[in-house]
């Protein structure tokens, strides 16, 4: 069992929220509506302008209330690096929102915003059922993709040539042969022969017709 279940949930939720796969899902293509309060919108704008690791460090330390070593461990950074990120994030917030320059005031404001959210959690058996269904769907998709890949590979191996075929040599000009001459006009003798052949019987000229005698 994990010694820090809450930390594990926060880490997994953070990775899930920033997953790039959400960009291709229709339900996550549209941004959520901003808060109704102007002060909340201003603070949200400042937090979103921070680098992701700076924003995570600030929310864990000043929002959740973790100490510096726990914040560094959860963000997978050293304690000096986490402290440096926290100082820079506080400086950015204090520059744009001077009323939150004090760490106590910033912590109180973040706690108020977190307490105002009403999260709806599903029942355990529904969450488990949805998770198992999703896992089954991806398993079947992976099996189908593997079968298609194996089929395409087998077809490629069967259709691929199994021996080397040298390329055809380019054509070369043969010297010494007379060029082809196109047929010219018929002579008088050839015209007369053609007319005589056409005027013969339908079964052929007399010299080709067998004599029944």
């Amino acid at each position: 069992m994990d010694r820090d279940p809450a930390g594990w949930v926060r880490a997994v939720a953070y990775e899930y929220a920033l997953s790039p796969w959400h960009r291709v899902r229709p339900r996550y293509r549209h941004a959520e509506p901003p808060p109704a309060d102007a002060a909340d919108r201003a603070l949200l704008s400042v937090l979103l302008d921070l680098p992701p690791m700076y924003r995570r460090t600030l929310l864990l330390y000043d929002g959740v209330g973790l100490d510096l070593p726990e914040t560094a461990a959860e963000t997978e950074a050293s304690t000096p690096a986490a402290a440096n990120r926290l100082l820079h994030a506080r400086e950015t917030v204090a520059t744009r929102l001077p009323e939150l320059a004090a760490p106590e005031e910033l912590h109180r404001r973040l706690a108020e915003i977190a307490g105002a959210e009403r999260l709806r959690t599903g029942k355990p058996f529904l969450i488990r059922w949805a998770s198992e269904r999703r896992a089954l769907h991806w398993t079947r998709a992976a099996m189908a993709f593997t079968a298609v890949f194996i089929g395409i590979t087998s077809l490629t191996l069967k259709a691929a040539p199994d021996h080397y075929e040298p390329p055809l040599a380019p054509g070369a000009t043969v010297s010494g042969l007379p060029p082809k001459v196109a047929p010219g006009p018929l002579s008088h003798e050839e015209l007369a022969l053609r007319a005589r052949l056409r005027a013969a019987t339908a079964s052929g000229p007399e010299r080709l017709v067998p004599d029944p005698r």
Side-chain angles (χ1 to χ4, degrees), residues 123-139:
K123 296 182 178 180
F125 73 93
L126 291 178
I127 296 176
R128 181 175 181 178
W129 175 80
S131 177
E132 292 177 351
R133 184 179 180 183
R134 189 181 304 110
L136 181 61
H137 171 75
W138 284 109
T139 302

Side-chain angles (χ1 to χ4, degrees), residues 18-125:
L18 297 186
S19 175
W21 293 105
H22 292 324
R23 301 175 184 176
V24 299
R25 301 181 63 180
R27 60 179 298 185
Y28 293 106
R29 291 179 182 175
H30 304 285
E32 296 182 357
D37 190 3
D40 293 345
R41 291 197 301 270
L43 179 57
L44 178 61
S45 176
V46 175
L47 294 177
L48 291 178
D49 289 340
L50 292 173
M53 295 306 301
Y54 285 49
R55 180 171 62 247
R56 185 181 183 185
T57 303
L58 180 67
L59 292 177
L60 289 176
Y61 189 86
D62 286 330
V64 179
L66 300 181
D67 57 15
L68 196 56
E70 291 176 342
T71 303
E74 192 161 323
T75 57
E76 299 180 354
S78 62
T79 303
N84 188 38
R85 293 171 182 173
L86 179 62
L87 291 177
H88 282 79
R90 283 179 173 177
E91 290 177 0
T92 303
V93 174
T95 301
R96 297 180 55 177
L97 300 175
E99 64 275 11
L100 300 180
E104 297 80 8
E105 185 64 23
L106 178 60
H107 174 72
R108 185 191 63 79
R109 192 74 184 89
L110 292 175
E112 288 180 355
I113 295 177
E117 293 292 333
R118 294 294 181 266
L119 301 179
R120 294 178 298 175
T121 58
K123 296 182 178 180
F125 73 93

Side-chain angles (χ1 to χ4, degrees), residues 122-212:
K123 296 182 178 180
F125 73 93
L126 291 178
I127 296 176
R128 181 175 181 178
W129 175 80
S131 177
E132 292 177 351
R133 184 179 180 183
R134 189 181 304 110
L136 181 61
H137 171 75
W138 284 109
T139 302
R140 290 177 177 177
M143 293 174 62
F145 175 77
T146 303
V148 171
F149 179 77
I150 293 176
I152 294 176
T153 304
S154 302
L155 181 62
T156 302
L157 293 176
K158 185 177 181 181
D162 56 355
H163 61 278
Y164 173 74
E165 296 182 1
L168 298 177
T173 304
V174 180
S175 59
L177 296 178
K180 290 184 177 181
V181 180
L186 299 177
S187 63
H188 294 288
E189 292 78 4
E190 293 173 340
L191 291 175
L193 177 61
R194 183 177 68 178
R196 187 157 52 86
L197 290 175
R198 289 180 177 178
T201 58
S203 59
E206 291 84 351
R207 62 187 178 85
L208 297 179
V209 177
D211 191 355

